[in-house]
């Protein structure tokens, strides 16, 4: 410590002699600015003429004689030691987990100027520095300017001002003493006002202090009044319908639905479970959970667009029924044969997107995607908040620096003018179009549309109309709390696109890198499935999932009815639970006058029809395949059954009976098969987590 003081003393002695004229000009300018900022141009009065302050004049004269450099050095060192003892030691005690417990009375505790120390307000750059009159006077006096004829010393003045600032900082430190009775009883109006901390900082401080408090509720060093914080409002909305019921084959032998390969529900379920709570039943769409995983299905041969794989197995949760799994595998053209891609990133930059798992994750996700694009592809960026704007005009995908720079500069703020953003994105896409190319808008949002045409039906009609021009729309959802899954699903289905939910960077890689070709390059539009069940073999059936994709029977042959889109290399899986006539598992009484089986088809369980249109074509193609009931199950279809059971357990389905989490986990583990990306073991771990949370 002596060495430091010696160094300081030598440094002070070695300081250059100040220029007298420069000091005088600086002091005159400082006093002139002080008078101007105080709103007065009157000459300053000597402190000795203030009658009310006469008792303190002797003290001021004493400090005047203590302005020599050695005295300043000594007093500065003493002040530093006092501040260290008063401030640093209590903070060190708090960090090592040994706080001094304040014995607060039973009444509401009082915090002694705790807000600035534990939750300081964000620093803001002031427009001008205003020094209060007493401080300015003391600084001037310390510099030698308070006495007539004395020469001001700017170095000494700066030291005095620094000491004043340190004193202010020290006075705001948290005191570890009990609150004196006199202070507790003092009216609030008479206390010294402390700077107000932001409400968010106070809320964070409240939560941290209560988490670290002893069991008796007393807080170390700081006592915080009981405050009720309003819970964060959850405005999430999900597109779902009641689970499909069991249907009597003799009454309704035909089941028709639109193919869909969205996977958003699985990621939402994972987000909920890893967040420590079970998803609500409306957040669970079983077909999206089943279709989240890749399966080893037979691939199309030659110029075929699709290949189908059918398997039949006993139902794990009901031995009296069977599961019929239908797997559709789309053709995967070589990358070199892909047409050029025109891609418009439509990015929600509204205020609701500022969370770390929204806009920041969105920018990282889209950055991963750029490496998969080719030089002939084009990218444009449109954003929307209070209004919409074109951030990046159509740019070659090879110019990654320009694209990344535009993404990096995006900031969240404002309301959500989603309709205006959609309109501008379609205008930009129209400029990018060329014959033989694929044009798609990729909307990235939390789904919160609150400015413009926010009515879902209006948005559906607009997107459906633009779909006819050949520009398709896919949707990526981000964040929780105000996720509008219903709007996302509506836009994706009417835009001939897909909907995915991005909760992690790994999910972004899965959707935008591993599955990019299938997500952006369609091989078939308006893909529909229809199954006619044979009443002599199937008395009852139930389609597991696809509630929001149901079609009327007559829609199957109507090429003007929109349905789902299949991308290159995409797979689709659908699972039916069927019950044979006479089974103990029948839920309905048999009809007295059942339909007579058609000759030659008595052994068939049903008949599969698959209809689709090539992209840009108006006429559909039909492929038919009988379901014999002899198709063997594989580890792939058994794992799909485990995921279907997982979804039903989350929904609280009555159809799984006494089958539970242990059985679902065992079925998934035994049929995990090849799992190069770890998706299946992740599902097993989510089942275990759901089992724990459900207890």
């Amino acid at each position: 410590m002596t060495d430091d003081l010696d160094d300081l003393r030598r440094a002070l002695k070695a300081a250059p002699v100040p220029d007298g004229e420069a000091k005088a000009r600086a002091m005159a300018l400082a006093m002139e600015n002080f008078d101007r900022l105080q709103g007065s141009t009157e000459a300053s009065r000597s402190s000795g003429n203030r009658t009310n302050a006469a008792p303190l004049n002797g003290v001021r004269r004493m400090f005047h004689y203590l302005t020599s450099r050695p005295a300043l050095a000594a007093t500065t060192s003493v002040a530093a030691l006092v501040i260290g003892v008063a401030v640093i030691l209590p903070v060190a005690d708090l960090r090592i987990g040994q706080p001094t417990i304040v014995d607060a009375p039973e009444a509401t505790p009082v915090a002694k100027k705790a807000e600035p120390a534990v939750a300081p307000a964000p620093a803001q750059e002031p427009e001008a520095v205003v020094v209060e009159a007493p401080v300015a006077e003391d600084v001037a006096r310390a510099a030698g300017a308070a006495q007539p004829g004395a020469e001001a010393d700017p170095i000494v003045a700066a030291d005095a001002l620094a000491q004043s600032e340190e004193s202010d900082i020290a006075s705001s430190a948290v005191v570890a003493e009990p609150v004196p009775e006199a202070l507790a009883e003092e009216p609030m109006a008479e206390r010294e006002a402390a700077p107000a901390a932001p409400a968010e900082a106070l809320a964070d401080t409240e939560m941290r202090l209560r988490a670290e408090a002893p069991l008796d509720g007393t807080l170390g060093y700081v006592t915080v009044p009981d405050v009720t914080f309003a819970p964060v409002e959850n405005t999430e909305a999900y597109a779902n319908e009641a689970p499909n019921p069991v249907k009597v084959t003799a009454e309704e032998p035909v089941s028709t639905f639109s193919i869909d390969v969205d996977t958003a529900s699985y990621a939402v379920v994972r987000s909920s479970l890893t967040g420590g709570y079970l998803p609500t039943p409306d957040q669970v769409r079983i077909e999206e959970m089943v279709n989240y995983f890749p399966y080893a299905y037979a691939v199309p041969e030659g110029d075929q667009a699709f290949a189908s794989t059918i398997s039949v197995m006993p139902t794990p949760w009901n031995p009296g029924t069977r599961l019929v799994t239908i797997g559709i595998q789309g053709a995967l053209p070589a990358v070199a044969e892909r047409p050029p891609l025109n891609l418009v990133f439509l990015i929600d930059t509204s205020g609701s997107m500022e969370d770390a798992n929204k806009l920041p994750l969105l920018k990282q996700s889209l950055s991963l995607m750029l490496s998969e694009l080719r030089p002939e592809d084009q990218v444009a960026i449109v954003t929307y908040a209070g209004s919409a704007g074109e951030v990046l005009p159509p740019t070659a995908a090879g110019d990654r620096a320009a694209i990344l720079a535009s993404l990096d500069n995006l900031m969240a703020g404002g309301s959500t003018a989603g309709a205006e953003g959609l309109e501008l994105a379609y205008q930009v896409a129209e400029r990018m179009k060329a014959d033989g190319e694929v044009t798609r808008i990729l909307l990235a949002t939390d789904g919160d549309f609150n400015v413009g045409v926010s009515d879902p039906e209006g948005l559906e009609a607009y997107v459906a109309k633009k779909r006819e021009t050949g520009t398709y729309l896919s949707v990526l959802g981000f964040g929780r709390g105000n996720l509008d899954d219903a709007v996302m699903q509506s836009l994706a289905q009417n835009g001939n696109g897909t909907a995915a939910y991005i909760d992690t960077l790994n999910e972004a890689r899965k959707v935008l890198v591993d599955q990019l070709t299938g997500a952006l390059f369609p091989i078939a539009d308006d893909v529909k499935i229809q199954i006619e069940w044979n009443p002599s073999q199937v008395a009852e059936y139930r389609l597991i999932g696809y509630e929001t994709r149901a079609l009327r029977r007559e829609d199957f042959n109507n090429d003007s009815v929109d349905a789902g889109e299949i991308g290159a290399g995409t797979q689709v899986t659908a699972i039916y639970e069927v019950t044979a006539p006479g089974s103990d598992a029948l839920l309905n009484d048999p009809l007295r006058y059942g339909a007579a089986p058609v000759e030659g088809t008595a052994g068939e369980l049903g008949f599969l029809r698959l209809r689709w249109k090539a992209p840009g074509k108006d006429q559909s193609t039909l492929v038919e395949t009988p379901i014999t009931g002899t198709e063997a199950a594989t580890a792939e279809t058994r794992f799909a059954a485990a995921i279907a059971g997982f979804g039903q357990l989350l929904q609280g389905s009555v159809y799984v009976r006494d089958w539970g989490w242990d059985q679902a986990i065992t079925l998934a583990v035994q049929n995990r098969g090849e799992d190069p990306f770890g998706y299946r073991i992740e599902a097993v771990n989510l089942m275990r987590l759901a089992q724990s949370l459900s207890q």
Side-chain angles (χ1 to χ4, degrees):
M1 193 66 180
T2 304
D3 293 340
D4 293 339
L5 289 175
D6 291 340
D7 293 342
L8 177 60
R9 188 178 296 107
R10 284 193 296 272
L12 290 173
K13 290 180 179 179
V17 179
D19 185 353
E21 294 182 2
K23 289 189 290 185
R25 287 196 302 272
M27 183 54 62
L29 180 61
M31 297 306 296
E32 179 184 348
N33 289 335
F34 169 71
D35 291 336
R36 177 175 53 80
L37 294 174
Q38 292 296 315
S40 172
T41 58
E42 297 179 1
S44 60
R45 294 179 299 171
S46 171
S47 61
N49 296 330
R50 293 187 298 164
T51 57
N52 294 335
L56 299 178
N57 287 339
V59 178
R60 291 190 177 89
R61 283 192 295 272
M62 179 185 70
F63 278 106
H64 171 67
Y65 292 112
L66 291 177
T67 55
S68 64
R69 287 189 178 93
L72 286 175
T75 54
T76 301
S77 302
V78 172
L81 289 173
V82 172
I83 292 173
V85 172
V87 177
I88 299 176
L89 289 182
V91 173
D93 289 342
L94 182 61
R95 289 182 178 175
I96 63 175
Q98 297 177 350
T100 302
I101 305 303
V102 178
D103 295 328
E106 294 183 1
T108 303
V110 179
K112 290 183 58 179
K113 298 181 66 175
E115 293 88 341
V118 296
Q124 296 182 354
E125 186 175 341
E127 297 180 0
V129 177
V130 180
V131 184
E132 295 183 1
V135 177
E137 208 167 346
D138 293 340
V139 172
R141 186 176 303 106
Q147 299 297 329
E151 186 177 12
D153 189 337
I155 298 178
V156 176
D159 290 344
L161 180 59
Q163 290 181 14
S164 175
E165 292 174 348
E166 291 175 359
S167 177
D168 291 341
I169 295 173
S171 67
S172 67
V174 179
V175 180
E177 302 172 356
V179 180
E181 251 183 46
L183 180 60
E185 295 175 357
E186 182 183 354
M188 289 300 296
E190 298 179 6
R191 299 182 193 173
E192 182 182 6
E200 296 85 356
L202 287 175
D204 292 343
T205 302
E206 166 77 2
M207 297 301 292
R208 179 179 62 80
L209 291 174
R210 292 195 179 280
E212 297 174 354
L215 295 178
D216 61 0
T218 325
L219 304 181
Y221 287 98
V222 180
T223 54
V224 182
D226 289 334
V227 180
T228 301
F229 293 96
V232 178
E233 183 181 4
N234 190 322
T235 60
E236 294 186 349
Y238 290 88
N240 215 336
E241 302 290 341
N244 287 323
V246 171
K247 296 186 177 181
V248 178
T249 307
E251 298 173 356
E252 194 174 348
V254 177
S255 173
T256 308
F257 62 95
S258 167
I259 265 188
D260 203 287
V261 290
D262 294 345
T263 60
S265 179
Y266 181 85
V268 169
V269 167
R270 177 179 59 204
S271 173
S272 297
L273 292 175
T274 55
Y277 58 93
L278 291 170
T280 58
D282 64 327
Q283 295 172 355
V284 180
R285 288 189 291 270
I286 296 177
E287 75 279 4
E288 295 186 13
M289 296 183 66
V290 171
N291 282 298
Y292 181 85
F293 303 90
Y295 299 98
Y297 292 152
V299 298
E301 298 179 357
D303 58 354
Q304 293 181 346
F306 297 105
S308 59
T309 299
I310 300 172
S311 72
V312 181
M313 59 179 283
T315 304
W317 50 84
N318 190 350
T321 65
R322 288 183 289 178
L323 291 184
V324 178
T325 302
I326 299 168
I328 306 296
Q329 173 69 62
L332 179 62
V335 174
E337 298 176 5
R338 287 183 349 192
L341 173 66
N342 301 313
L343 184 61
V344 179
F345 291 158
L346 176 56
I347 301 176
D348 182 354
T349 56
S350 62
S352 63
M353 291 289 291
E354 65 181 353
D355 295 341
N357 61 348
K358 293 186 180 181
L359 185 59
L361 177 59
L362 185 159
K363 294 192 289 187
Q364 291 178 315
S365 302
L366 296 182
S367 299
L368 291 178
M369 180 182 186
L370 296 180
S371 61
E372 299 300 306
L373 301 180
R374 300 166 302 166
E376 58 266 32
D377 298 333
Q378 288 190 92
V379 174
I381 300 178
V382 173
T383 63
Y384 64 91
S387 59
E390 183 176 352
V391 173
L392 179 72
T395 302
D399 191 359
R400 296 188 59 187
I403 300 172
L404 289 173
S406 297
L407 288 173
D408 289 340
N409 291 332
L410 297 181
M411 302 290 290
S415 55
T416 315
E420 186 179 350
L422 277 173
E423 183 178 0
L424 179 58
Y426 277 112
Q427 293 174 3
V428 174
E430 194 64 30
R431 301 202 314 262
M432 300 171 70
K433 277 184 180 179
D435 291 340
E437 298 181 351
V438 172
T439 303
R440 187 181 292 271
I441 296 172
L442 189 60
L443 169 60
T445 178
D446 60 2
D448 186 9
F449 288 73
N450 54 35
V451 175
V453 185
S454 57
D455 174 47
E457 294 184 0
L459 289 172
E460 289 175 10
Y462 180 76
V463 172
K465 181 180 178 181
K466 292 297 182 180
R467 170 187 76 214
E468 302 301 327
T469 66
T471 299
Y472 294 168
L473 173 70
S474 291
V475 184
L476 300 178
F478 290 83
R480 298 297 299 272
N482 63 334
L483 181 68
D484 199 333
D485 172 82
V487 171
M488 291 170 47
Q489 292 290 325
S490 173
L491 294 178
Q493 290 183 26
N494 286 275
N496 265 14
T498 58
Y501 173 73
I502 307 295
D503 59 334
T504 64
L505 202 57
N506 282 334
E507 182 66 13
R509 176 174 178 82
K510 178 179 184 292
V511 173
L512 298 176
V513 177
D514 299 339
Q515 300 174 347
L516 176 68
T517 300
L520 299 181
F521 294 93
I523 60 173
D525 292 340
D526 298 336
V527 184
K528 307 169 187 175
I529 285 182
Q530 186 174 81
I531 296 181
E532 179 183 356
W533 296 106
N534 184 354
S536 66
Q537 299 294 318
V538 177
E540 295 172 346
Y541 68 90
R542 176 173 68 97
L543 175 60
I544 303 176
Y546 289 97
E547 288 85 1
T548 62
R549 278 85 175 182
L551 296 174
R552 296 173 300 181
R553 179 176 177 179
E554 60 269 25
D555 292 340
F556 183 77
N557 293 324
N558 188 347
D559 286 343
S560 64
V561 175
D562 179 60
E565 173 204 60
I566 291 294
T570 300
Q571 299 174 333
V572 181
T573 302
I575 301 176
Y576 283 89
E577 182 178 359
V578 301
T579 310
S583 171
D584 294 338
L586 285 174
L587 299 179
N588 297 278
D589 294 331
L591 297 176
R592 180 179 177 86
Y593 306 103
V598 180
E599 291 185 6
T601 62
E604 294 178 356
L605 289 182
F607 201 62
L608 167 65
R609 298 182 178 92
L610 182 65
R611 185 181 290 277
W612 75 92
K613 291 187 291 189
K617 303 298 181 181
D618 297 327
Q619 190 170 357
S620 64
T621 301
L622 175 66
V623 171
E624 299 176 324
T625 306
I627 303 173
T628 64
T630 60
E631 295 87 351
T634 64
E636 301 295 294
T637 56
R638 282 190 286 267
F639 182 83
I643 299 301
F646 179 20
Q648 291 177 98
L649 289 172
L650 290 174
Q651 288 181 335
S653 174
V654 298
Y655 298 114
V656 295
R657 301 191 177 190
D658 296 331
W659 195 74
W661 292 109
D662 288 335
Q663 292 88 343
I665 293 169
T666 300
L667 181 63
V669 170
Q670 291 177 347
N671 297 279
R672 177 183 170 191
E674 294 294 329
D675 189 20
F677 302 108
Y679 301 146
R680 297 188 178 188
I681 194 60
E682 178 192 57
V684 172
N685 289 328
L686 290 178
M687 290 182 191
R688 294 191 176 113
L689 186 55
Q691 181 182 29
S692 298
L693 292 173
S694 63
Q695 296 174 351

